[in-house]
Amino acid sequence: MLVYVLRRLMIAVPVMVAISLGAFLLMNAMPGDPVDRWLASGGNTLKSSPAALQSEKQRIRSQLGLDLPLFYVSLASWAHPDTLYKVTNAKKRIWMGRLLENSGNWAAVERFGHAAWAYAEGVQHSEQGEYLKKRLSRIVQISDLSEMRQHLDSLYGKASNGCLLSTDLCTHQVIFLEAFDNLASGSQWKTWIPWVHFHRENRYHRWLFGDGNWWTGKGGTHSKGLLRGDWGWSIRTREPVGSRLMGRIGWSVFFTLLGIVLALAISLPLGAWMARKANRSFDRWTGALVLLLYSIPVFVAAVALLMLFANPDYFSWFPVAFFDSDRLPPQASTWDKLLALLPHLVLPLVTYIYGAFAFLSRTIRIAVIEVLPANFIQTARAKGLSEPRILFRHALRNALLPVVTILAHVLPAALGGSVLIESIFSIPGMGREMVMAVGYRDYPVVIAIVTLSGLFSIIGYLLADLTYAWADPRIRLSKTSA
Amino acid sequence: MTARPSSTLANQSPWRLRRKYFLRASSARWALIILAVFFFTGWLAPWLANDQPWYIQLNGEHYYPAFSTQKVYTTPEGEVLRLAETDWKRLKFESVIWAPIPYAPGKTDRWNGYLNAPYKGPFDAQYFQHPAAGKQALSWRFRHWLGTGRNGEDVLSGVIHGTRSSMGIALGAMLMATLVGLLLGSLAGFYGDNRFRWSRGILLGVALGAFGGFFLVFGRKAWHWSSAEAMENETNWGWGLLSFLLLLILGGVFGKASEKLGRWWIAPVRLPLDASMLRLLEVFHAVPHFVLVIALAALIVTPNWWSLVLVLGITSWTNIARLVRAELFRVRELDYLEAARSLGLSNGQLLWRHALPNAISPSIVAIAFGVGSIILLESGLSFLGIGLPPDQVSWGQLIRSGQNDFSAWWLVVFPGLALLFTVLAFNWIGEAMRDAFDPRTLPGSKRVTETTEEEVIQDIQS
């Protein structure tokens, strides 16, 4: 048994690492600039002067770890510097990257690129006419070298006396032409040689271990690291992700557990009874009804329930919005709070139950049908036990084993997975948080939820397998022979 | 005249028997009918529900706007009709044939919706504004049979076009999931951990090819994958994939050639296909499907049909892979396969011609259930507003719009019913197939394995 547990654990750890790694690497590629979203989420705290805004952006960038490379290893070409990721503007980064692909000389690309980009931005804010602006700022859209040469030639004229368009262009003439000459004479072949870069400091490392000493955690300024319980910052709410999720997880667990328990209370007797009446009209009709229920999408059922029972046109029995303890008078007792909470629970619970109940009763029916022909049932019958007693005491007990496995699979899935129900009934749980995080592209929260739900699933599966191995000796026995 | 062989059990192929048993279930027959209706509705949606007429006669000229790819018409008077913008119902024609549902999805009908009176129900009085006579009751031909949305969008037209997106996306995603699942599952199940061997030369060649391909597609243009936008706009995925595969094959060929170099290069290396596939399966399996799907959907800059097919497809292959693997574990030990092997057939032939056809039936059942669940996933995504873009109608989106006003029940009920029947039909088909494929139902055939519990144990073992 111990060997079995250890073996399972040894498999679970790499899977967990793979999930967190995959989630981290993928979600960091979310479109858009996280710094802009961070600034936008704060409302009216925008800095007045451009310089102040720049330094604020820089601060956020380092707080979120965006000034670091993504991972320990990166594959690039020989010409590729390991500093391109530091170009923060995505458009500029892509443009400079393409220039580099065509030239191969990073120093020249860097010099030319920064100068041209700054110049083109300056032109946009200047008093020039629209046509001129368009022409002058085209520099930063060209990545083909011969096209760029033509464009520069046409700007400056064949002889270098062409400062006719704007005096500002003249001051940039030297740097443009010189840097471009270097750029064009670069060693393009270098871009065809693979080069592996290693980064000791990177985002993944910081996410896992924090930016201090990786073992003791001392000396960190921005993050303590996941291993010390720090999940990073939420971009949408500017809160630590960990504490934000801590407040959400309770509702999800509450609803899932209560829903499953209630669903089991209905589906155990129903499933067993359906199995006893297998292929007779009771079984057929209930089976059809259950399949019908199972096929109604959860969100359709939820909206329909709200329309019917939380609508002044029909039955205004239950509230639409979820429970908000702030609405109650401050002197309200716990009992009052519970009483006020109750009507908010009914519709969500009904939705939770019906989906799980349909699935569970079908599973239980099949499991009991498999058990019923067994010898010990015949024995029980021969002893003269009553039929319900045989069914519920003997058959159901032995049929519970697959149900245990399914429960262990259902629980972790529901923990992160009741996304739709939570969104519809505005229950402040993990699923709703996930939807809001995805809507805002709040990637630290998405990474945390994906990793957490993976962790819970793996623990759940582990428990299920252990229960199974503990209950069914064949598994342990056949393991040694395999 | 030779007598036709009578249909005895002996000359009936298992597939013919399965089809017979499948069609015997009345639910399966109903499901097929329902699905056929939905399929053709979706297929013909642009012609069934369209605000552009099928046929018009204008100043003696004949036009077929709904069937035409021509986007702009100029009438002899010089009036320009733009298909997408023209309010066709305001125009005077000599003769006209409207589409059965003369409304396009998502288009505003300002007299039966919009600011003054949003949401018209199926039974409410509906109006139109006659240029001369003013407000008049709408004739039955132009009635919104299933009501309208906030801005007068026709619900029936939305449901019809929603069928198109739901069915299209679900079938596409399932096709992709099936291909991936069959490939990975059969490799893992047939070869297991011990049977797949490559010589060191080939292995090195392929590894080098993969490295080179990765470098060409990603490494050389490292700035591409700095963000999803860049990956979507900059990377040429078609060429990337092609050059990657080419380099892979090239590496394999060079590797094969390198076997001539000496003993060291020929030595076989065992590749644990089964174990690696299982780890991958576990990673996908551990994250709840819907959470995984919405996390991946967040990476997409401009969602469309293809991106949804991709996201739903690469997350739905696990069931099929698992089932094919488990079946192949059973089949590959059977005697007939041993016999075929002794005839000198190659591994590929054994797998493709002999093992897979006998291992595929559980995954066909899984495909039927899978399409239903993908439809649910897709409409769930659209319901949350992270699926298709707002200008493309889908069932989930209609239901979402019903959430804004609880008195507009028709916005939830009709798309909900369409969703329910589609999913139900796929579930019925799945159930009927499962019964028909069960060896216990085939007369004259012996049961090959014990029941599912064995498989469960097998799964936990591995």
Side-chain angles (χ1 to χ4, degrees):
Chain A
M1 191 71 191
L2 189 69
V3 178
Y4 181 72
V5 173
L6 283 179
R7 221 172 73 117
R8 287 287 317 172
L9 271 179
M10 268 170 62
I11 293 174
V13 170
V15 169
M16 199 53 240
V17 172
I19 292 174
S20 71
L21 185 62
F24 187 84
L25 295 186
L26 271 178
M27 291 307 141
N28 260 285
M30 253 189 216
D33 190 352
V35 176
D36 287 346
R37 293 201 294 276
W38 175 283
L39 284 173
S41 71
N44 52 2
T45 52
L46 285 179
K47 293 281 187 286
S48 47
S49 76
L53 183 66
Q54 277 309 320
S55 77
E56 173 73 358
K57 277 189 173 181
Q58 205 51 53
R59 191 190 63 73
I60 298 165
R61 200 163 283 286
S62 64
Q63 183 183 344
L64 296 176
L66 294 172
D67 50 354
L68 297 173
L70 187 58
F71 193 54
Y72 293 103
V73 196
S74 66
L75 176 65
S77 72
W78 191 9
H80 204 95
D82 63 346
T83 47
L84 186 57
Y85 64 85
K86 283 186 180 156
V87 179
T88 50
N89 186 315
K91 269 189 189 150
K92 186 176 172 186
R93 189 169 58 232
I94 290 168
W95 173 65
M96 283 171 71
R98 286 165 119 188
L99 273 183
L100 180 68
E101 188 189 351
N102 294 330
S103 134
N105 182 350
W106 171 246
V109 168
E110 199 176 20
R111 200 168 126 80
F112 181 77
H114 286 310
W117 191 271
Y119 172 70
E121 261 189 350
V123 167
Q124 282 311 314
H125 295 120
S126 68
E127 305 276 304
Q128 314 264 13
E130 275 309 312
Y131 168 75
L132 216 54
K133 269 188 191 174
K134 224 177 188 172
R135 251 197 97 185
L136 296 179
S137 61
R138 236 185 82 73
I139 298 181
V140 294
Q141 288 155 17
I142 302 174
S143 57
D144 185 67
L145 293 193
S146 59
E147 205 184 329
M148 179 72 89
R149 166 77 70 194
Q150 274 176 16
H151 187 69
L152 287 179
D153 279 349
S154 81
L155 277 184
Y156 288 108
K158 278 282 174 264
S160 50
N161 58 355
C163 298
L164 302 170
L165 292 171
S166 79
T167 45
D168 195 28
L169 198 59
C170 267
T171 53
H172 283 82
Q173 183 175 2
V174 180
I175 188 166
F176 276 2
L177 292 182
E178 224 180 63
F180 186 74
D181 280 340
N182 285 334
L183 198 141
S185 62
S187 31
Q188 211 253 338
W189 55 270
K190 277 186 180 175
T191 64
W192 293 95
I193 312 293
W195 207 259
V196 176
H197 294 279
F198 293 95
H199 312 276
R200 249 195 84 235
E201 292 279 310
N202 61 67
R203 284 189 224 174
Y204 186 68
H205 182 86
R206 181 196 275 198
W207 183 64
L208 266 187
F209 301 108
D211 53 355
N213 181 298
W214 74 276
W215 179 247
T216 59
K218 278 182 188 146
T221 48
H222 295 302
S223 152
K224 290 203 285 288
L226 179 55
L227 295 183
R228 277 171 280 273
D230 185 350
W231 288 87
W233 291 88
S234 159
I235 291 172
R236 189 173 66 88
T237 59
R238 299 188 179 188
E239 282 174 79
V241 174
S243 62
R244 172 102 191 148
L245 291 187
M246 262 322 200
R248 313 274 129 177
I249 217 163
W251 280 114
S252 292
V253 172
F254 170 76
F255 271 104
T256 314
L257 282 184
L258 201 56
I260 284 284
V261 167
L262 291 176
L264 266 183
I266 305 172
S267 54
L268 273 178
L270 186 73
W273 201 250
M274 277 163 76
R276 174 153 151 60
K277 300 277 180 190
N279 291 327
R280 289 206 251 153
S281 63
F282 172 79
D283 176 45
R284 275 164 193 270
W285 284 107
T286 330
L289 191 73
V290 164
L291 185 62
L292 188 75
L293 273 184
Y294 183 56
S295 300
I296 299 178
V298 165
F299 61 98
V300 175
V303 177
L305 279 175
L306 275 177
M307 274 190 166
L308 204 58
F309 297 115
N311 183 355
D313 293 356
Y314 306 107
F315 309 100
S316 190
W317 293 350
F318 303 109
V320 179
F322 195 66
F323 177 66
D324 184 3
S325 59
D326 298 341
R327 289 257 185 93
L328 292 175
Q331 68 273 20
S333 66
T334 322
W335 180 246
D336 287 341
K337 277 186 186 168
L338 271 179
L339 222 55
L341 176 66
L342 267 183
H344 294 270
L345 298 184
V346 177
L347 292 183
L349 270 181
V350 169
T351 333
Y352 266 100
I353 290 166
Y354 100 92
F357 136 78
F359 178 64
L360 280 175
S361 52
R362 283 158 64 79
T363 319
I364 290 165
R365 172 183 173 270
I366 293 169
V368 174
I369 285 181
E370 302 251 317
V371 169
L372 277 182
N375 287 338
F376 69 90
I377 299 284
Q378 298 292 327
T379 316
R381 216 166 260 148
K383 280 197 295 188
L385 295 181
S386 73
E387 209 46 38
R389 199 179 161 83
I390 294 172
L391 192 62
F392 292 115
R393 294 295 293 272
H394 292 75
L396 199 54
R397 266 195 175 182
N398 281 282
L400 273 182
L401 211 51
V403 177
V404 170
T405 328
I406 285 167
L407 272 191
H409 285 58
V410 163
L411 279 181
L415 201 62
S418 48
V419 175
L420 285 165
I421 303 183
E422 285 181 7
S423 316
I424 294 168
F425 294 106
S426 43
I427 301 167
M430 295 275 275
R432 188 154 183 262
E433 188 69 16
M434 176 76 182
V435 173
M436 298 208 292
V438 162
Y440 202 75
R441 304 234 154 100
D442 188 356
Y443 68 94
V445 174
V446 177
I447 294 171
I449 293 181
V450 170
T451 312
L452 265 182
S453 56
L455 181 70
F456 281 123
S457 309
I458 284 178
I459 293 174
Y461 296 164
L462 204 62
L463 286 180
D465 286 357
L466 293 186
T467 322
Y468 224 105
W470 167 72
D472 192 338
R474 279 179 300 175
I475 288 170
R476 265 167 295 155
L477 290 178
S478 55
K479 205 227 88 198
T480 45
S481 64
Chain B
M1 190 176 159
T2 52
R4 272 180 55 129
S6 64
S7 66
T8 58
L9 275 177
N11 60 17
Q12 286 201 348
S13 76
W15 286 107
R16 199 173 294 169
L17 271 179
R18 282 167 183 168
R19 197 176 67 198
K20 197 173 118 195
Y21 281 101
F22 172 70
L23 288 176
R24 190 176 278 175
S26 63
S27 59
R29 293 197 301 271
W30 276 110
L32 284 181
I33 294 172
I34 293 175
L35 285 186
V37 169
F38 274 109
F39 184 79
F40 283 105
T41 310
W43 190 27
L44 302 174
W47 303 288
L48 277 179
N50 200 334
D51 63 337
Q52 299 156 19
W54 279 4
Y55 162 77
I56 50 175
Q57 191 184 6
L58 193 63
N59 303 315
E61 299 278 329
H62 307 284
Y63 301 99
Y64 306 89
F67 299 96
S68 169
T69 49
Q70 196 183 338
K71 289 295 167 224
V72 179
Y73 289 86
T74 314
T75 59
E77 278 89 50
E79 192 187 355
V80 178
L81 302 180
R82 270 174 231 285
L83 277 198
E85 296 156 19
T86 303
D87 188 356
W88 294 86
K89 294 180 193 70
R90 306 271 136 222
L91 296 174
K92 276 266 173 241
F93 308 109
E94 280 118 60
S95 68
V96 55
I97 300 176
W98 296 99
I101 311 299
Y103 293 101
K107 265 205 175 175
T108 326
D109 175 359
R110 48 199 296 251
W111 303 106
N112 295 301
Y114 218 46
L115 298 174
N116 40 4
Y119 305 109
K120 286 280 181 193
F123 309 117
D124 293 351
Q126 298 175 358
Y127 300 103
F128 81 105
Q129 188 81 1
H130 194 274
K135 194 173 171 183
Q136 289 194 336
L138 201 62
S139 82
W140 67 269
R141 183 68 183 81
F142 292 102
R143 208 179 153 71
H144 300 279
W145 291 105
L146 300 187
T148 66
R150 174 190 284 277
N151 297 326
E153 303 96 336
D154 189 57
V155 174
L156 179 53
S157 173
V159 170
I160 289 175
H161 281 257
T163 312
R164 191 179 170 83
S165 6
S166 282
M167 288 290 235
I169 290 172
L171 292 179
M174 201 63 230
L175 183 71
M176 184 172 166
T178 309
L179 290 179
V180 177
L182 276 187
L183 182 74
L184 293 184
S186 54
L187 285 180
F190 186 74
Y191 289 104
D193 278 340
N194 301 316
R195 294 195 188 179
F196 196 87
R197 285 184 184 146
W198 266 348
S199 70
R200 278 184 187 143
I202 294 186
L203 196 67
L204 272 178
V206 169
L208 268 179
F211 179 80
F214 189 78
F215 170 68
L216 266 196
V217 181
F218 291 116
R220 203 172 156 258
K221 308 176 176 215
W223 60 93
H224 279 195
W225 44 296
S226 56
S227 79
E229 285 136 313
M231 284 207 269
E232 216 166 282
N233 301 327
E234 299 289 317
T235 313
N236 190 334
W237 289 100
W239 278 113
L241 204 67
L242 202 70
S243 48
F244 187 84
L245 284 179
L246 214 69
L247 269 172
L248 216 60
I249 294 170
L250 209 69
V253 170
F254 273 103
K256 184 80 191 158
S258 78
E259 283 178 4
K260 301 255 187 300
L261 287 179
R263 222 122 147 246
W264 189 86
W265 298 87
I266 305 180
V269 182
R270 193 171 59 88
L271 290 184
L273 291 188
D274 188 39
S276 19
M277 207 276 296
L278 277 179
R279 295 295 89 74
L280 189 65
L281 208 71
E282 250 167 279
V283 170
F284 270 85
H285 200 57
V287 186
H289 200 164
F290 199 61
V291 172
L292 187 61
V293 166
I294 52 179
L296 289 181
L299 286 176
I300 292 160
V301 188
T302 46
N304 54 32
W305 273 47
W306 297 113
S307 64
L308 276 181
V309 165
L310 188 74
V311 165
L312 292 169
I314 54 170
T315 53
S316 306
W317 56 272
T318 49
N319 259 340
I320 294 171
R322 199 169 49 79
L323 289 168
V324 172
R325 172 185 166 274
E327 276 296 285
L328 278 175
F329 258 76
R330 174 179 72 81
V331 169
R332 74 173 193 199
E333 302 299 335
L334 295 182
D335 290 340
Y336 81 93
L337 216 64
E338 208 53 43
R341 194 187 297 278
S342 69
L343 286 175
L345 296 188
S346 72
N347 268 333
Q349 273 174 317
L350 280 178
L351 172 60
W352 183 247
R353 300 285 298 272
H354 297 274
L356 208 51
N358 277 321
I360 208 159
S361 50
S363 29
I364 291 180
V365 177
I367 289 173
F369 285 117
V371 179
S373 78
I374 289 181
I375 287 181
L376 281 183
L377 280 176
E378 186 271 326
S379 47
L381 271 185
S382 303
F383 177 79
L384 292 176
I386 29 192
L388 285 174
D391 59 320
Q392 289 186 21
V393 181
S394 68
W395 291 337
Q397 214 172 23
L398 285 172
I399 297 169
R400 173 188 170 82
S401 67
Q403 229 190 336
N404 295 330
D405 191 330
F406 283 163
S407 56
W409 54 268
W410 49 90
L411 280 172
V412 175
V413 169
F414 296 119
L417 279 180
L419 199 53
L420 167 67
F421 276 113
T422 329
V423 176
L424 198 61
F426 278 112
N427 283 352
W428 273 342
I429 286 188
E431 298 239 305
M433 275 188 185
R434 192 169 54 196
D435 291 345
F437 290 177
D438 192 337
R440 276 171 290 192
T441 58
L442 288 182
S445 66
K446 268 189 294 181
R447 280 183 60 188
V448 192
T449 47
E450 273 302 305
T451 40
T452 49
E453 207 177 351
E454 216 72 3
E455 275 165 33
V456 173
I457 295 170
Q458 173 103 68
D459 253 14
I460 291 166
Q461 287 294 308
S462 42

